[in-house]
Amino acid sequence: MSTKYAIVFDIGGTNLRSALIDSEGFILQQSLREKSQSEPYADIVHFICNEYSLLKGYLKSNKNTDCIIGVCVGIAGVVDSSNYDIVKSFNVFGNDSPDRVNIYHDLKKEITENIILVKDTNLSILGEQWIGAGEQLKNLVGIFVGTGLGAGLIIHDNLVIGANGSAGEIGHIIIDSEGNQCRCGGKGCLETYVSGKAMAKYAKEGLGPDVQSLLKKSYGDPESLRAEEVYFAAEKGDLYAKEIIHNMCKDLAIGITNVIDLFNPDAIVLGGSMISCHSYVLGIIEDEVIKRSFKIPIKDHLLRLSALGDNAALIGGMRALQQFHKDIESNKS
C-alpha cells in the first residue's frame, strides 16, 4: 500500500506555517514565516496557495501526487461548521477584516484536492492524542497559550466542535464581570489576562519610574516589548518579570480549574508558545490548580506539557484528514 500524504497549514496570530506530512505523522517538508498583526486577508490566501504549489511540486518530484489525501487549513478562529465561514478572528486578520470570510471558496480556485478547515486548537489536540502527550486517552483537553488563548476538547474519543464550531473558546470564559475589555465585545475574558498579548500589555503598563527591571534597561523602548522578552528577563532573575508571569499562571489556573470541574478529563495538555518553550511554568500552574480544584478529579499527571510543540496543529491536520476520509467511507456503507 502506498504512503499517503497531507498538505497542512497552521495560520496563527504570529506565524504562518505549512507542512507536507505522511500518514505516520512524520513531517517531510515545512516552512514558517512571521505574520504581521495587520496582515491582509489576500496575502494569507496567497501564502496558502503558493506553499500548496511548492509542496505539491516537491511531492511530484520525489513521490506521487496521487497520494495526497487532502489539504487541511488550521486557523486561529472559529470555523462555522455549516458553511466553512471563518467568523471574526482578530488574532489572524486584524481589526479591519470582515466579520466573516469564506476562505474555502477562495482556496478552491487554486487547490484541486479536498480541503478541510479546522480551528487550530482542535488540530493541536488531535495531534497530541494521536502521537503526543495525550496518546490513547479518550477524554482530553488541550489548552494553548500563544498570541491568544484557545482550547480543544476530546470527549469519549470524539472531537467536540459544538453546534456551529465554537466549542473550546476558553479564552472567552469570563473571570471578572467588570474586568478588561475584550475585542470580542465582552469584559473580563480570560484571554485578556492570559496570552502573549496580555503579558506584553501588563509588562508595559507596570513599568513605572520606581520599577527596577531589565525590561527597562536591556530591551530598548518599553512600548515595543514582546512577551518573549518578559520570559527572557525572568530567566535572568528579574523579579518584576517573574511577577508578571506568576500572575498569568494564576489566572490560567482559574480557567483550567473550571475546565477540570466541568469535563473531568483524563489529562489536560498545555501548549502554545507561551507555555511550551518555558516548561518551568507548569509547576506554578499545577500548584495553583491544586489549590482551587474540586478534589475528586485531581490526580497525578493531570497536567502535561505538549509533546509536539509548535508542530501539534500540523500533525493534527493529517489526523483530521484521516478521520474526514473515514467518515466519508462510513457514510457510504
Side-chain angles (χ1 to χ4, degrees), residues 191-205:
E191 184 174 289
T192 67
Y193 300 88
V194 181
S195 64
K197 286 186 175 181
M199 181 182 287
K201 174 178 177 289
Y202 280 113
K204 293 172 189 175
E205 290 177 350

Side-chain angles (χ1 to χ4, degrees), residues 309-320:
D310 290 342
N311 292 328
L314 295 173
I315 293 169
M318 169 53 95
R319 193 59 170 168

Side-chain angles (χ1 to χ4, degrees), residues 43-69:
D43 287 1
I44 294 174
V45 172
H46 175 75
F47 168 82
I48 294 172
C49 293
N50 185 63
E51 287 295 315
Y52 161 78
S53 297
L54 291 173
L55 290 171
K56 190 171 181 179
Y58 169 84
L59 190 58
K60 185 176 182 179
S61 64
N62 291 275
K63 310 286 182 183
N64 185 339
T65 54
D66 291 339
C67 295
I68 298 176
I69 65 170

Side-chain angles (χ1 to χ4, degrees), residues 6-290:
I7 295 174
V8 184
F9 297 91
D10 180 8
I11 308 301
T14 304
N15 294 305
L16 305 177
R17 301 175 186 272
S18 66
L20 179 67
I21 302 177
D22 71 14
S23 53
E24 300 299 317
F26 181 76
I27 297 176
L28 285 81
Q29 289 280 104
Q30 66 175 316
S31 70
L32 175 151
R33 80 161 173 84
E34 287 192 6
K35 181 186 108 19
S36 69
Q37 290 189 1
S38 57
E39 185 102 13
Y41 168 75
D43 287 1
I44 294 174
V45 172
H46 175 75
F47 168 82
I48 294 172
C49 293
N50 185 63
E51 287 295 315
Y52 161 78
S53 297
L54 291 173
L55 290 171
K56 190 171 181 179
Y58 169 84
L59 190 58
K60 185 176 182 179
S61 64
N62 291 275
K63 310 286 182 183
N64 185 339
T65 54
D66 291 339
C67 295
I68 298 176
I69 65 170
V71 174
C72 177
V73 179
I75 195 152
V78 175
V79 178
D80 189 329
S81 55
S82 67
N83 58 12
Y84 270 170
D85 275 4
I86 298 169
V87 183
K88 189 76 172 179
S89 176
F90 295 106
N91 289 329
V92 174
F93 299 126
N95 293 329
D96 297 329
S97 66
D99 287 341
R100 303 175 77 91
V101 294
N102 194 307
I103 196 171
Y104 177 86
H105 172 77
D106 293 327
L107 294 177
K108 283 305 289 182
K109 297 174 184 176
E110 302 289 336
I111 296 175
T112 56
E113 285 79 15
N114 286 321
I115 303 173
I116 61 171
L117 268 67
V118 186
K119 188 165 68 169
D120 61 345
T121 51
N122 286 344
L123 292 183
S124 294
I125 199 59
L126 283 174
E128 294 289 350
Q129 187 199 34
W130 183 25
I131 56 172
E135 194 169 355
Q136 305 301 319
L137 297 180
K138 306 293 186 184
N139 297 283
L140 191 61
V141 178
I143 297 176
F144 303 95
V145 189
T147 307
L149 171 65
L153 312 174
I154 292 175
I155 305 297
H156 298 311
D157 211 23
N158 292 307
L159 181 68
V160 178
I161 63 171
N164 59 9
S166 66
E169 287 296 315
I170 188 175
H172 300 288
I173 288 176
I174 306 300
I175 63 169
D176 183 352
S177 61
E178 297 300 321
N180 297 334
Q181 183 68 47
C182 181
R183 289 189 295 176
C184 75
K187 282 189 174 182
C189 292
L190 184 59
E191 184 174 289
T192 67
Y193 300 88
V194 181
S195 64
K197 286 186 175 181
M199 181 182 287
K201 174 178 177 289
Y202 280 113
K204 293 172 189 175
E205 290 177 350
L207 280 174
D210 297 330
V211 174
Q212 301 297 314
S213 173
L214 292 172
L215 294 172
K216 277 183 174 180
K217 300 174 182 178
S218 302
Y219 297 100
D221 180 10
E223 289 303 310
S224 65
L225 269 180
R226 300 177 64 177
E228 292 85 352
E229 292 164 355
V230 181
Y231 275 110
F232 293 154
E235 288 164 4
K236 292 180 179 180
D238 189 292
L239 296 180
Y240 174 74
K242 286 183 176 181
E243 182 182 5
I244 295 291
I245 293 168
H246 195 274
N247 288 340
M248 186 191 79
C249 290
K250 286 172 63 177
D251 289 332
L252 177 56
I254 293 171
I256 290 172
T257 300
N258 290 333
V259 169
I260 291 170
D261 293 343
L262 187 60
F263 293 107
N264 186 24
D266 293 315
I268 292 180
V269 177
L270 299 178
S273 59
M274 293 296 100
I275 300 292
S276 296
C277 297
H278 311 283
S279 58
Y280 70 89
V281 302
L282 182 63
I284 303 172
I285 296 167
E286 282 182 325
D287 289 345
E288 294 294 334
V289 168
I290 290 169

